[in-house]
Amino acid sequence: MNWQVAAIPAIPAISAAFLAVLGSSIPKKWIGTIASAAVLLSLLMGLSQYSAVMALGHIDFKAGAWLATHSFQAAWGLHLDSIAFAMVLLVTGFGFLITLYSIGYMADDAEPVRFFASLNLFVASMLILILADNLVLIFLGWEGVGLCSYLLIGHYWKDQGVPLAAYRAFFTNRIGDILFILGVFYLFRALGTFSISDLASAAPTIAGETKVLVGRGLLLLLGGAFAKSAQAPLHVWLPDAMAGPTPVSALIHAATMVTAGVYLCVRLMPLFTLFPEVRTVILLCALVTLIVGAVLAAVQFDIKKILAYSTLSNLALMFLAIASASSGAAMMHLFGHASFKALLFLGAGSIIASAHHEQDIRKLAGVLRKMPITRIAFWVGTVGATGLIPWLSAGFFSKELVLESLAHTEFQLAGMHFSGHVIKWIVLAMELLSVVYMVRLLAYLESDQAGEALHHGHIEEKSVTIKLVLALLIPIGPIFGIFSATEHFGSMGRGVYALITGRLGFPEGPTWSEFIPAALVGLMVAILIWVFFSNADKRESLLKKLSGLSLGQNGPLSRLFYFDDVYNSILLTPLRILGRVCSVVFESISAGFWI
């Protein structure tokens, strides 16, 4: 019955239950070790299935009906194919390193049992989502990662603003979850199945009224995908999620929650290819997210929020690939992004822990000069994020695949057609802006003038586990960069592309003549930003000149492009009014009852 497949999510789930029930009686030093060992064992269990997956194509685990009525049935079934296998390695691999890192980072935490149990449950929920062979079981994992993100974002629940950030993430994702459920039942009504493989195989036969229902179902499912993967207009929770411990931020951004929506769309790509109008909706929302994320990242001073807005833009790139019907490019950039974003967040965590929990980069100026391992990690992560250097940049080839997919796509909406070449130039402009904000961040941390954090205490890298994990992560980005190389750069990515995407075909990617002009412009921008921001005097002079760009407290940058204001007007204010009315009515009824 292929119990090994079921063991992959079961091991961290059992560990989570064990820690939750008996963790308080376990010595504190063993709690993180048990949690790390569980994820490592899950990783090893996943690796043990490689030969079988490659030989058979997929492995299935069936345990009978899970939910069943006279009209529908959803099985407790898991499906491990090439794409799922790659995702399992991503989640368990980065999950293990982040859990191990947390042992040092959370050493002084007052509630380690709650933290590590939630971390294990987070990994288990994501693994269920990845391996589920039907939409109902996917929804179980979907809700699990939503719950765990709420618990972990709100871990420091006594700190001001933290509970609100956790509620915000939870509430925004509940909106997406309602849309997800409605979309699932639209698809079931149209095609009579919840099975992912059956839905994909039914795609060529869809026509007429069935096609209308499927289109509506996909639009509703997008609501769930946009909430989980933080796409406009449901992106507003992600920057606030930085209120949680930094290892949680790394896990959310690199390997778990925000990849869920992308993964769902990739699994349903045979359906999405039938609906160019739906993919144009994805395109428009992803473009807005790309621009909002890049622009806001360039004006932040909180180190974690810069990285959070960077994640918005990179997730938008994945959805742009989906809009182009290129699930391969989306998956490749998902892995490339994980390679450098985990390193950047954990490097940021090392800085924050060493600098007495300071997160303002103006006060962290020059801090990397005191932290040798973190310094290398941040440089490698920044090179990966900017995507300027072939092979060394984890994001170079994956971003190029997205650009190539856009250039070869024609989009349509309401009878109008437009070329993806226009979108490609917009994306290139935003990628130049990503060079600006990432080099700006690195220049602050390498500044020639020490910030307040260096004056207020001794700065040194904390904990053996933090340094060990950073050292292990440093080569991952360049390794992925080398083994994702496209045809004109050595074609070493053929095998990686086949594993991650489940496809044998391999895109050509950019030529040297296409790459060199863009690279030269990017390098010139990087050098200019470094010159101005690594020198304190030049930096302050430039910032004074740019200070008017925010247009005051009511400008679009200060108001985060007004998304919160719109939500407050159309959603929160009516709910407050309804709450007050209900309160008055119920109090009146209650008073009359007791009289």
Side-chain angles (χ1 to χ4, degrees):
M1 199 165 56
N2 295 320
W3 62 269
Q4 296 98 329
V5 177
I8 295 171
I11 293 167
I14 292 169
S15 175
F18 174 78
L19 290 174
V21 175
L22 300 174
S24 58
S25 61
I26 298 171
K28 186 176 179 179
K29 65 180 181 180
W30 288 105
I31 295 169
T33 304
I34 292 170
S36 300
V39 184
L40 176 59
L41 188 56
S42 183
L43 169 62
L44 296 174
M45 190 64 70
L47 284 170
S48 71
Q49 302 306 300
Y50 175 76
S51 298
V53 171
M54 293 301 104
L56 302 174
H58 63 88
I59 307 170
D60 292 321
F61 170 83
K62 301 289 185 182
W66 174 44
L67 295 176
T69 71
H70 68 283
S71 59
F72 77 85
Q73 177 174 304
W76 183 267
L78 304 178
H79 180 80
L80 182 65
D81 59 7
S82 178
I83 301 174
F85 175 79
M87 285 294 293
V88 165
L89 297 190
L90 178 78
V91 172
T92 55
F94 283 107
F96 165 65
L97 291 174
I98 292 167
T99 308
L100 182 64
Y101 175 100
S102 299
I103 295 174
Y105 191 89
M106 305 296 289
D108 299 323
D109 189 69
E111 298 180 274
V113 171
R114 184 163 63 89
F115 177 82
F116 282 103
S118 299
L119 215 57
N120 271 176
L121 185 59
F122 206 166
V123 172
S125 299
M126 189 65 193
L127 291 171
I128 290 172
L129 190 157
I130 290 166
L131 293 168
D133 73 348
N134 63 78
L135 289 172
V136 178
L137 191 56
I138 281 180
F139 188 69
L140 177 66
W142 198 267
E143 288 298 283
V145 295
L147 170 64
C148 293
S149 67
Y150 166 75
L151 294 173
L152 290 164
I153 292 167
H155 183 74
Y156 297 133
W157 57 274
K158 294 181 181 179
D159 292 354
Q160 185 176 5
V162 171
L164 181 61
Y167 291 144
R168 187 175 169 88
F170 191 79
F171 188 78
T172 305
N173 276 277
R174 295 294 73 71
I175 295 172
D177 292 347
I178 292 169
L179 297 174
F180 182 102
I181 293 171
L182 292 173
V184 168
F185 282 104
Y186 258 101
L187 290 183
F188 180 79
R189 181 184 172 190
L191 301 174
T193 181
F194 293 117
S195 167
I196 300 293
S197 57
D198 290 346
L199 289 170
S201 62
T205 65
I206 295 174
E209 181 63 26
T210 298
K211 190 170 183 178
V212 174
L213 291 174
V214 171
R216 292 173 183 172
L218 291 178
L219 280 172
L220 289 165
L221 281 174
L222 279 181
F226 283 177
K228 278 289 183 288
S229 293
Q231 295 298 287
L234 296 175
H235 67 287
V236 293
W237 66 272
L238 190 61
D240 289 340
M242 299 303 97
T246 306
V248 174
S249 302
L251 191 60
I252 288 175
H253 287 249
T256 53
M257 188 158 166
V258 298
T259 64
V262 178
Y263 181 74
L264 175 70
C265 291
V266 168
R267 280 300 192 192
L268 296 176
M269 185 54 71
L271 297 180
F272 279 107
T273 55
L274 300 177
F275 296 91
E277 295 86 357
V278 173
R279 289 190 284 110
T280 302
V281 172
I282 298 174
L283 171 78
L284 296 174
C285 292
L287 267 181
V288 171
T289 310
L290 177 74
I291 295 168
V292 167
V295 172
L296 291 180
V299 299
Q300 300 298 312
F301 289 101
D302 184 308
I303 186 172
K304 288 175 68 176
K305 286 198 173 183
I306 293 170
L307 298 178
Y309 282 114
S310 166
T311 297
L312 284 184
S313 281
N314 280 282
L315 289 167
L317 289 176
M318 300 173 208
F319 276 98
L320 287 172
I322 290 168
S324 304
S326 178
S327 57
M331 288 299 292
M332 287 293 283
H333 192 57
L334 188 155
F335 278 75
H337 175 255
S339 300
F340 62 76
K341 192 51 63 73
L343 193 57
L344 286 168
F345 263 114
L346 296 183
S350 177
I351 292 169
I352 292 166
S354 301
H356 321 293
H357 297 280
E358 179 58 66
Q359 294 183 201
D360 190 324
I361 59 174
R362 292 167 293 192
K363 298 178 181 179
L364 292 170
V367 72
L368 285 181
R369 296 168 181 263
K370 303 289 185 180
M371 308 175 70
I373 297 176
T374 306
R375 189 180 198 178
I376 297 171
F378 228 89
W379 271 92
V380 173
T382 301
V383 169
T386 55
L388 289 177
I389 306 173
W391 304 295
L392 292 181
S393 297
F396 175 81
F397 292 107
S398 60
K399 288 181 180 180
E400 290 296 334
L401 289 175
V402 175
L403 291 169
E404 183 181 27
S405 67
L406 286 168
H408 290 87
T409 306
E410 186 177 85
F411 297 96
Q412 64 183 65
L413 183 66
M416 296 184 295
H417 296 256
F418 54 97
S419 172
H421 277 288
V422 177
I423 310 301
K424 177 182 176 179
W425 285 106
I426 297 173
V427 174
L428 279 171
M430 291 303 104
E431 287 309 296
L432 274 181
L433 193 52
S434 76
V435 174
V436 171
Y437 65 70
M438 286 309 306
V439 175
R440 167 182 173 264
L441 170 58
L442 184 63
Y444 261 106
L445 300 177
E446 288 278 14
S447 177
D448 58 358
Q449 183 174 318
E452 292 180 25
L454 272 73
H455 295 305
H456 291 168
H458 180 60
I459 301 292
E460 64 178 0
E461 289 168 322
K462 306 288 185 182
S463 174
V464 173
T465 60
I466 290 177
K467 291 185 281 189
L468 173 62
V469 170
L470 288 177
L472 291 172
L473 278 171
I474 285 169
I476 290 178
I479 287 172
F480 183 83
I482 292 168
F483 286 98
S484 61
T486 49
E487 292 291 347
H488 299 289
F489 290 80
S491 69
M492 286 173 285
R494 190 179 297 277
V496 171
Y497 186 86
L499 175 66
I500 292 176
T501 67
R503 299 178 179 181
L504 296 178
F506 188 50
E508 287 188 1
T511 63
W512 280 100
S513 60
E514 293 170 330
F515 156 70
I516 290 174
L520 289 176
V521 173
L523 286 172
M524 287 173 61
V525 170
I527 292 168
L528 282 172
I529 296 300
W530 179 268
V531 168
F532 277 102
F533 280 93
S534 61
N535 180 275
D537 294 333
K538 292 179 180 178
R539 180 171 67 236
E540 294 307 314
S541 175
L542 179 62
L543 289 175
K544 286 179 182 178
K545 294 177 181 177
L546 297 176
S547 59
L549 291 179
S550 66
L551 302 178
Q553 291 185 344
N554 293 316
L557 300 184
S558 300
R559 304 298 297 177
L560 306 179
F561 288 98
Y562 307 109
F563 281 97
D564 290 340
D565 298 293
V566 172
Y567 275 125
N568 189 58
S569 299
I570 68 173
L571 190 62
L572 297 182
T573 298
L575 284 175
R576 290 191 191 102
I577 294 171
L578 179 62
R580 292 191 187 113
V581 171
C582 290
S583 177
V584 170
V585 171
F586 288 137
E587 285 176 3
S588 300
I589 293 172
S590 178
F593 175 80
W594 288 109
I595 289 173

